[in-house]
Amino acid sequence: GAVVSQHPSRVICKSGTSVKIECRSLDFQATTMFWYRQFPKQSLMLMATSNEGSKATYEQGVEKDKFLINHASLTLSTLTVTSAHPEDSSFYICSALGLAGGRETQYFGPGTRLLVL
Amino acid sequence: GENVEQHPSTLSVQEGDSAVIKCTYSDSASNYFPWYKQELGKRPQLIIDIRSNVGEKKDQRIAVTLNKTAKHFSLHITETQPEDSAVYFCAASITGTYKYIFGTGTRLKVLA
């Protein structure tokens, strides 16, 4: 149980275009999902907290107009990187809050590798 | 806000030896500390976690200890195997938010 998927797994786009990444909880409902960015050989940096039916909460320094988050259902959150630039190239990972042993914990998706040319 | 430091950044051990990774956190309100293992290009996998109401937890070859007073927690892997080679991240969760603040990671290499 507690499987989280992401789509696409890999995307290459031209500078200036927008890219949408989907995060799905496959076998459980997640009212809360999280979006992280991970640069090569670095840690996971929390970008925003996505709550179903409400606006996302962004971490300091993350531009909400550039990284649009929509959590329209209990199993789906999307991250849209708008007007992508080469510096946005990174590994984007989502997680969904689910139950483990009666307590909530984060389950991670497989990540999406974004390359902006 | 919460800040998590992790040491060492790289660790090489001989197969069968033990490995210890240490983390410190700054926010005394943090009450949940998970450890994740991430293989190259893959998702982080939860390997063990500990809550602030206990001082130690063990799961086969993996154990975690927590010192709330000193605000540090450690991961212990015994009888290491080559398949333990990966990057390990500690995290601290801020009370009530379920947000995880991750440490900088430790690249563990187990030499056969």
Side-chain angles (χ1 to χ4, degrees), chain B residues 78-93:
Chain B
T78 59
E79 301 173 28
T80 53
Q81 301 166 2
E83 51 265 38
D84 293 330
S85 297
V87 179
Y88 291 81
F89 291 99
C90 64
S93 180

Side-chain angles (χ1 to χ4, degrees), chain A residues 6-11 19-22 92 111-113:
Chain A
Q6 267 183 255
H7 178 80
S9 58
R10 186 183 297 265
V11 58
V19 175
K20 180 185 281 188
I21 303 170
E22 293 185 347
Y92 291 86
T112 296
R113 191 162 301 281

Side-chain angles (χ1 to χ4, degrees), chain A residues 4 43 59 103-104 106 109, chain B residues 36 38 43 51 98-99 103:
Chain A
V4 178
S43 188
E59 294 300 300
R103 291 179 173 174
E104 292 184 301
Q106 290 188 29
Chain B
Y36 284 85
Q38 186 180 30
R43 78 184 80 198
R51 297 184 186 272
Y98 304 109
K99 285 169 48 171

Side-chain angles (χ1 to χ4, degrees), chain A residues 3-4 34 36 38 41-44 46 49 59 91 93 97 103-110 113, chain B residues 32 34 36 38 41-46 49 51 53 89 97-105 107:
Chain A
V3 177
V4 178
F34 301 89
Y36 295 84
Q38 186 177 33
K41 297 186 177 181
Q42 293 190 24
S43 188
L44 291 91
L46 179 64
T49 304
E59 294 300 300
F91 194 49
I93 307 179
L97 200 60
R103 291 179 173 174
E104 292 184 301
T105 193
Q106 290 188 29
Y107 294 93
F108 284 85
R113 191 162 301 281
Chain B
Y32 175 63
Y36 284 85
Q38 186 180 30
K42 297 191 175 179
R43 78 184 80 198
Q45 298 272 14
L46 177 69
D49 57 9
R51 297 184 186 272
N53 57 344
F89 291 99
T97 69
Y98 304 109
K99 285 169 48 171
Y100 292 179
I101 303 301
F102 280 88
T104 47
R107 188 171 299 275

Side-chain angles (χ1 to χ4, degrees), chain A residues 32-93:
Chain A
T32 302
M33 292 184 175
F34 301 89
W35 286 96
Y36 295 84
R37 181 167 51 185
Q38 186 177 33
F39 292 108
K41 297 186 177 181
Q42 293 190 24
S43 188
L44 291 91
M45 299 301 297
L46 179 64
M47 299 175 66
T49 304
S50 170
N51 294 296
E52 188 267 336
S54 64
K55 291 182 179 180
T57 304
Y58 291 81
E59 294 300 300
Q60 193 171 8
V62 178
E63 299 175 56
K64 62 180 181 180
D65 294 329
K66 180 167 183 63
F67 299 99
L68 301 178
I69 292 173
N70 185 285
H71 194 154
S73 78
L74 288 172
T75 58
L76 174 64
S77 176
T78 61
L79 168 69
T80 301
V81 183
T82 62
S83 187
H85 291 285
E87 57 266 30
D88 297 323
S89 299
S90 187
F91 194 49
Y92 291 86
I93 307 179

